[in-house]
Amino acid sequence: RIARKKNLLGALRILKDVSGSVIFDIYGSLEDASYFAECEKVMAELPANIAATYKGPVAPDSVISTLSNYDAFFLPTFGENFGHAILEALLAGCPVILSDQTPWRNLAARQAGFDCALDRPQQLLDAVEAFIPMNDGEFSAWSAGARRCGEDYCSTSDLVTATRTLFQDVLVGTGGAR
């Protein structure tokens, strides 16, 4: 989603300082048009080494295949309870660069990405720049680490059961059917 909470504006501001070349494709439904107008202004000011393009929403059945074409998933969000798109990126073998405002932690130790302090933008910049010079072998290790992290989450029965229970509780609490 293109919404203030996802912090696209923060991502674009970080990218202004990246020294290498980056193609930053932005996906998601346009939830907040005035916010996106702010983002477009920053996109127009990006240096020549950074290409940012809004690609629109992705069909749910195409998310993982779309993400598998990228070297990293950059989401310096202001907060996520879970982050389904994060799990989809991991399952696609796309390492993630996240804020510390998600439950996805200790990613670097698993070579699955980075969870950076939102109040320390340099950490986010360093994480983006870490992927730029990687050769194919180095990137393959990070891609495999991301995929393993996603698969580990999906195969952990306690977590899957807890998620299923959460959704069932929400449905029952709102009068929805199971």
Side-chain angles (χ1 to χ4, degrees):
R1 297 180 299 136
I2 308 300
R4 226 169 264 284
K5 177 182 178 181
K6 303 298 182 180
N7 198 19
L8 174 59
L9 197 54
L12 293 165
R13 288 181 176 144
I14 297 288
L15 291 175
K16 282 177 124 177
D17 294 325
V18 170
S19 58
S21 295
V22 172
I23 296 171
F24 185 57
D25 290 340
I26 302 160
Y27 289 95
S29 57
L30 200 56
E31 186 174 293
D32 185 337
S34 65
Y35 176 68
F36 188 64
E38 292 176 53
C39 294
E40 286 181 307
K41 287 179 187 173
V42 176
M43 288 166 66
E45 298 168 356
L46 289 171
N49 61 310
I50 308 298
T53 308
Y54 176 59
K55 300 283 191 171
V58 178
D61 62 342
S62 299
V63 172
I64 291 176
S65 64
T66 299
L67 290 169
S68 70
N69 294 313
Y70 290 91
D71 296 330
F73 178 82
F74 188 28
L75 183 69
T77 180
F78 288 120
E80 300 294 324
N81 292 328
F82 177 72
H84 289 89
I86 298 166
L87 177 59
E88 290 169 318
L90 293 168
L91 290 170
C94 184
V96 297
I97 302 169
L98 309 172
S99 72
D100 59 355
Q101 302 299 303
T102 80
W104 299 94
R105 309 301 284 199
N106 303 312
L107 296 166
R110 301 183 74 185
Q111 279 192 301
F114 298 94
D115 46 288
C116 305
L118 195 53
D119 62 354
R120 293 186 169 168
Q122 186 65 45
Q123 286 184 356
L124 290 159
L125 176 61
D126 291 346
V128 171
E129 289 190 331
F131 286 100
I132 294 171
M134 282 187 189
N135 63 38
D136 288 344
E138 291 167 324
F139 176 74
S140 290
W142 282 85
S143 180
R147 189 171 294 106
R148 225 177 3 263
C149 182
E151 290 170 352
D152 286 352
Y153 176 84
C154 289
S155 67
T156 305
S157 62
D158 291 347
L159 296 173
V160 173
T161 300
T163 302
R164 194 173 288 126
T165 301
L166 171 73
F167 284 121
Q168 290 173 341
D169 289 348
V170 168
L171 288 173
V172 170
T174 59
R178 283 194 197 194

